Amino acid sequence: MVDMKLLSFRGGTHPPSKKHFTEGKAVEKAAVPPIVSIPLQQHIGAPCEAIVKPGDRVKMGQKIGQPKGFVSAPVHASVSGIVKSIQPVPSATGGQVLAVVIENDGLDTLYDSITPRDIDSLTPEELKTLILESGIVGMGGATFPTHVKLSPSPEKKIDTVILNGAECEPYLTADHRLMLEQPHEIIYGLKAIMKVLGVTKGFIGIEDNKPDAIQSMRKAAEGEGNIQIKALKTKYPQGAEKQLIEAITKRQVPSGKLPMDVGVVVNNVGTAAAIAKAIKTGIPLIERIVTVAGGAVKEPKNLLVRIGTSFKDVIEQCGGFKEEPAKVISGGPMMGLAQYTLDVPVTKGTSGILLLTHQEAEVPPVQPCIRCGKCIGVCPIHLVPLNISAFALNEDFDNAEKAHALDCIECGSCSYICPAKRPLLQSIRMAKRAIIANRKK
Amino acid sequence: MNRFTVSSSPHIRSAESVSRIMFDVVLALIPAALAAVYFFGVRVLFIIGLSVLSAVLTEALIQKLTKKPITINDWSAVVTGILLAYNLPPTAPWWLPVIGSAIAIALVKHAFGGLGQNFMNPALAARAILLAAWPVRMTSWQIPGVDTVSTATPLAILKGTEAGAAQLPSLWDAFLGNIGGCIGETSALALLIGAAYLLYRGVINWRIPFTFIGTVALLTWIFGGDGLFTGNAIMHILTGGLILGAFFMATDYPSSPVTPLGQIIMGIGCGIITSVIRLYGGYPEGVSYSILIMNIAAPLIDRYTEPRIYGEVKNNA
């Protein structure tokens, strides 16, 4: 079905896309390094417990971390080889994380029980178990365990599944390339999700700065009466869950509630493709597409990287540095996390590795707020960021809470647009943390 | 050890800057200066120049004395200087802009904390003080093109305070600026060119200026004539300080509301007060006072007009 109207939301901003670095670069298989460090927590929720020990021989796709809790996801060996150690390694989300370090034997021997399946021969419950056992998590960066999203409580009537192909973060093109190169996998994964939830309405939302991806997905969706491809206005943060839901369904997720409260489940296109792969090949989530870009990298690329490969190994495959980067970011420049070391391993949520030059990452000196109100205009939640920030800086967290600080989705549009270069989001984050800490008391 | 900068996201910033915004305002005010030179003579440049110089030097001096970073390169003092000059009559003696700008910067801007902290429009507050201190100097109008022949402003004529001989100018003259009035307020054409630029650049939005002018138009049309609905609304729009005030003064960021609804209330409030003063008050012109009064109300307006947030639950328990 062709729908020419561009869907969007109110607010938002237009950071330069910078996608030219890699949007034309087909995904290449990255070389597999001699050592991989696979964190036991690569998702939001409880960490896994290692079920292998140093000296064990493991095979590719073998489960090595068992989830402890419902909101969690298992992790698997991304190579075959010998477990060297189980030790803390730097985490892309900050601090250290316990990881299984495997010495790669270079053979990629597949784990014995891995068998291809197909959607039709599996019940919804079996499909959900397969998704859980394959360690599938949200691959847009948030890494929320997918099986949890697919387990709404019975009173929540889910009628719509949306795949997020907006990819509104500058620089990143991993999803773009995926939609061009593996559109049928995405459709297959979407059908699996729809089957699990018993839903007959599926949408894929894509920003209109990727007309080739829209075309590619529409072609792949031909004959699928239940699936529609929706062109979205190119505007940041179009890919934010609530904004995407509003654009496509015109429904607003109530403050403090979840998408399932308005009958919607949202997944990333990358997650759908990972589900398709897990069903069709039986191989769990052990690799992902990573965009390597930014002005400081010699040869920007889209790479299919095994989980546990260090940033350093990935960057070496892109010719290394063109110049010493000022900032290394895991993810996109608006919401990604700055890294202090290249020893961090790629995880299920690493959508990009950005090496920004001093010029790209420059943050000019902070000036007083001139009350221009631009932050209000761009906020996709319609908050008054300048007020929340002022409350936060005065440590007046009660008023920050009254000003709806907790509704902030941390998209960074306010800090981005601010002519006085004020760290608005940073101060709002501080307020959110303080409010939540107070509630727990 | 730490080779890379680690900081909170977002990691990129827009090209927007305070100085660029202020510079845009300066650019937008240039057509009005050219019109003023054309209609009132080159001397107005001397007044504008003195006013800007006084504003910038006052800011630099205060920041030096208080050992704060000197920020005169952000163009904000230049804007204040130009706006103050635009609110003076072309006949103003040289010391009027010097004192006025010093008051605007020292008393209205820096005494309350500097950039972004002024609760009133600095140029307008200073103008009000000058008007109270030197009422005759501040209202010695000049016929365009003729030196120091005193004249009445069209608004004074509309009001009927200038009885007898005085004739209203044609609408065309009022539009071009070929009328008596303050240096920067007479040419609607020149001001609208600048206003269009500011709207295009996103420095200002439509809410305050359009509701302000719209309200004045409506009220002066209804109540401004001998009978209801006979007022000369177009003359009211084109003369006096309405266009200068609506686009360049009422939109001053720190002293006007930041919320979308608050800005509309600001515009309507300014329009009502301006109309009431013009039609029923003791002065022929009310734009300055309307803006100053609404400036004082702005924090309160902001407080009660916070936008409804995305997904806000009605009857939030």
Side-chain angles (χ1 to χ4, degrees), chain A residues 369-386:
Chain A
C369 172
I370 56 169
R371 297 176 56 79
C372 66
K374 285 184 196 286
C375 53
I376 302 171
V378 299
C379 179
I381 304 294
H382 321 314
L383 302 172
V384 184
L386 67 118

Side-chain angles (χ1 to χ4, degrees), chain B residues 151-241:
Chain B
T151 183
T153 62
L155 282 178
I157 301 166
L158 268 177
K159 190 151 199 151
T161 48
E162 303 284 328
Q167 283 284 312
L168 269 179
S170 71
L171 285 176
W172 182 241
D173 277 340
F175 179 67
L176 292 180
N178 194 18
I179 51 174
C182 291
I183 289 175
E185 73 181 16
T186 59
S187 177
L189 173 65
L191 289 167
L192 289 174
I193 291 170
Y197 175 73
L198 289 186
L199 287 167
Y200 164 73
R201 290 279 303 161
V203 172
I204 60 172
N205 66 56
W206 62 271
R207 291 187 191 92
I208 294 175
F210 283 62
T211 52
F212 189 170
I213 294 171
T215 304
V216 170
L218 189 69
L219 293 180
T220 55
W221 173 57
I222 297 175
F223 301 110
D226 294 329
L228 286 180
F229 305 105
T230 59
N232 194 343
I234 296 172
M235 189 60 86
H236 270 283
I237 293 172
L238 294 178
T239 59

